[in-house]
Amino acid sequence: MKKSIKRTIIAFMVIMALGIADVPIVSDAFNVTEDISATRRPVVTRTHWGNGNIKSQRRTTYHSNGKVKQVDLRQYNRNGRMFKRTITNRYTNGRVKQTDIRVIHANSQRVTKRTVVNRNTSGQITTRTVTDRNANNNRVTRILNQTRVRGQITTNATQRIRTYHSNGRIQRDIAYLHDGTRFTIRTDKNFNTSGVITHMWNRTSATVDLRTNYQNGVNHERLHFNKGATTWHRRDLWQNGAWVNQDTGGGNGNDNNKTYVVDTAYQITAETEAIRLINVERTKEGLNPLVLHVFSRNAARIRGQEMAISFSHTRPDGRHSRTALVDVGFSPLCDNGRILGPGGITGTTFSIEPFGSKTEMSPLMAGELAVNGWLFYSPPHRETLMMPQATHVGVGITPGGTYAFTGANLPTFPYHQSACTQ
């Protein structure tokens, strides 16, 4: 009888142990201490206001080595409404991995500000993100992203601030780079309430600042300023996405350089013929035909005109050729994380002279001459246009020269709708 009772008691104790194995230890003493080495179960501690409402709750979980894995601290006002939540994650060595601080609106209980700080295993801060939201409709109003160098805000640290219109569309996107003394603006993009870019400042050059004005999201005017100057020394003008005029009158409106008048119908005919001939050659090799990508075409027109200034894949202002796609409102690197072809989008160049007059060269001949130069006289350019994975192409035939961008699975919407980070 005694043995039977003993076995029953042991069995009951085993069942109880199994039943509570995953139940957190709960205590109303805020500074409670538990022997975690044996259980490693979550520990929840609470404090209360005098009226009985909860004041704070702290839930602690542990790594298998017994060190703290996460602390989730929630703080409440006297009415029992949460106003702040702090989540701290730690590495197995005990150092802080991430701190996530959320400020919560007492009435709507929506997060109005969220600050996330990430650290490496040495404890140095690597990134910091601050997101502000409207407490009423939960829309983002401002995002700040900051990267640090070896935990410090110093040379080559970056910062990006994006603000949003009340309808949720992006309003302004500013990118900064630290020069060792302070953060300086590198690019500053402004958008209308429809999310279409209106103008952009580019301050990546050490000597020149650029302001680009857009019409319906397409390049219209670019002004070149010497650093610190308030008057431009060069102005480029576009028509229907093609560069047509350069004014070097130093802001006085005098045209001291070439002015090209582009016959739009002529240009479209020449570009269409170029794409047709490219697809003829691709068909011979059993490849799919390429589809016109309007943003790539507009960017190719810009690069074609720049050929007259500098016959190179590097732009006259020193930037990479792919930045022309950003200038026309398109992100060339990715869409929702998809890389567009090997190495992103690639370009080809070939010069045409003369151009633009039907008496000098027919548009069909202009398109054919461009394609012949790419396909039959330049193996690297042929390889670009014959990429098996390519799906889209944009050809720009201009007075200054020609250019083409090719890519795979290119989205047709503008930059402001893309999830890609520049």
Side-chain angles (χ1 to χ4, degrees):
M1 183 68 176
K2 290 182 179 179
K3 290 184 178 180
S4 176
I5 294 174
K6 187 175 182 180
R7 282 196 296 268
T8 302
I9 293 172
I10 292 174
F12 179 77
M13 291 175 65
V14 170
I15 292 171
M16 288 295 292
L18 292 173
I20 65 172
D22 295 323
V23 178
I25 300 172
V26 180
S27 172
D28 286 333
F30 191 82
N31 294 317
V32 68
T33 59
E34 298 287 343
D35 180 10
I36 303 303
S37 59
T39 62
R40 296 195 182 96
R41 287 176 286 164
V43 175
V44 177
T45 58
R46 299 190 183 103
T47 62
H48 296 81
W49 295 98
N51 60 7
N53 286 335
I54 188 170
K55 183 177 183 180
S56 67
Q57 175 177 292
R58 176 173 176 171
R59 187 177 191 274
T60 307
T61 58
Y62 298 85
H63 290 288
S64 58
N65 63 0
K67 290 187 178 293
V68 172
K69 179 179 181 180
Q70 183 187 84
V71 175
D72 184 350
L73 175 62
R74 307 184 186 198
Q75 296 171 270
Y76 302 81
N77 61 23
R78 288 182 175 274
N79 297 321
R81 309 285 286 180
M82 192 190 316
F83 66 88
K84 189 176 182 181
R85 183 180 181 185
T86 304
I87 303 173
T88 304
N89 294 290
R90 294 178 178 270
Y91 291 102
T92 53
N93 63 4
R95 291 186 183 274
V96 173
K97 179 180 182 181
Q98 182 188 79
T99 304
D100 184 347
I101 303 174
R102 308 175 192 183
V103 178
I104 301 171
H105 193 273
N107 294 327
S108 67
Q109 288 294 280
R110 286 174 170 166
V111 176
T112 58
K113 181 187 286 289
R114 183 178 181 183
T115 303
V116 179
V117 178
N118 293 295
R119 298 172 182 266
N120 58 26
T121 53
S122 298
Q124 297 172 330
I125 294 176
T126 56
T127 63
R128 178 174 174 265
T129 302
V130 181
T131 304
D132 296 323
R133 290 180 177 272
N134 185 301
N136 297 320
N137 55 28
N138 204 36
R139 283 179 173 162
V140 174
T141 58
R142 178 178 178 268
I143 298 177
L144 180 148
N145 295 103
Q146 189 180 90
T147 64
R148 300 192 181 187
V149 179
R150 295 182 297 278
Q152 302 297 316
I153 300 179
T154 184
T155 304
N156 294 328
T158 64
Q159 181 170 284
R160 184 177 181 184
I161 298 177
R162 283 166 287 179
T163 56
Y164 295 80
H165 291 287
S166 57
N167 63 3
R169 294 191 179 274
I170 190 167
Q171 178 185 47
R172 194 174 181 187
D173 186 349
I174 311 174
Y176 300 82
L177 183 68
H178 205 278
D179 61 7
T181 304
R182 63 185 183 280
F183 278 114
T184 58
I185 294 177
R186 307 293 284 174
T187 58
D188 183 355
K189 301 175 184 178
N190 293 262
F191 304 81
N192 61 23
T193 53
S194 297
V196 178
I197 190 168
T198 57
H199 67 274
M200 175 180 71
W201 279 99
N202 190 309
R203 305 180 188 274
T204 57
S205 169
T207 58
V208 177
D209 290 335
L210 302 176
R211 177 188 167 103
T212 304
N213 297 317
Y214 298 82
Q215 283 186 345
N216 300 320
V218 178
N219 278 36
H220 171 63
E221 176 185 56
R222 177 174 296 155
L223 304 177
H224 299 244
F225 297 80
N226 289 323
K227 286 290 185 183
T230 57
T231 304
W232 57 267
H233 66 271
R234 171 182 155 190
R235 178 177 64 177
D236 295 298
L237 296 175
W238 283 264
Q239 176 184 321
N240 299 321
W243 181 77
V244 297
N245 176 274
Q246 182 182 105
D247 181 354
T248 57
N252 57 21
N254 296 325
D255 291 329
N256 297 331
N257 210 323
K258 289 183 178 180
T259 297
Y260 298 102
V261 178
V262 176
D263 184 328
T264 304
Y266 179 101
Q267 188 175 39
I268 292 176
T269 301
E271 294 164 349
T272 302
E273 175 67 4
I275 295 176
R276 186 187 74 80
L277 293 174
I278 290 170
N279 285 333
V280 167
E281 195 66 19
R282 286 180 63 89
T283 300
K284 290 179 182 178
E285 297 192 9
L287 301 173
N288 60 285
L290 301 181
V291 178
L292 169 66
H293 186 248
V294 175
F295 289 98
S296 297
R297 180 202 65 191
N298 293 342
R301 287 176 176 177
I302 293 174
R303 291 293 297 121
Q305 290 290 17
E306 291 176 345
M307 291 294 100
I309 304 171
S310 174
F311 193 74
S312 168
H313 280 295
T314 300
R315 303 182 68 182
D317 60 11
R319 293 186 294 160
H320 192 282
S321 60
R322 286 197 296 265
T323 59
L325 286 123
V326 180
D327 289 348
V328 298
F330 179 75
S331 175
L333 298 180
C334 65
D335 163 41
N336 295 328
R338 295 198 305 273
I339 300 299
L340 304 179
I345 297 180
T346 54
T348 64
T349 60
F350 187 76
S351 181
I352 288 183
E353 288 292 346
F355 172 89
S357 170
K358 295 179 178 63
T359 61
E360 294 173 342
M361 183 186 296
S362 72
L364 297 180
M365 185 180 295
E368 181 179 356
L369 183 57
V371 172
N372 286 346
W374 290 329
L375 294 179
F376 306 117
Y377 295 97
S378 177
H381 291 152
R382 179 183 177 85
E383 183 180 353
T384 295
L385 293 173
M386 293 294 108
M387 287 193 303
Q389 65 270 43
T391 57
H392 293 77
V393 66
V395 175
I397 297 181
T398 76
T402 67
Y403 208 87
F405 285 101
T406 57
N409 303 319
L410 304 187
T412 56
F413 46 72
Y415 159 73
H416 71 268
Q417 294 177 339
S418 173
C420 184
T421 301
Q422 305 263 334

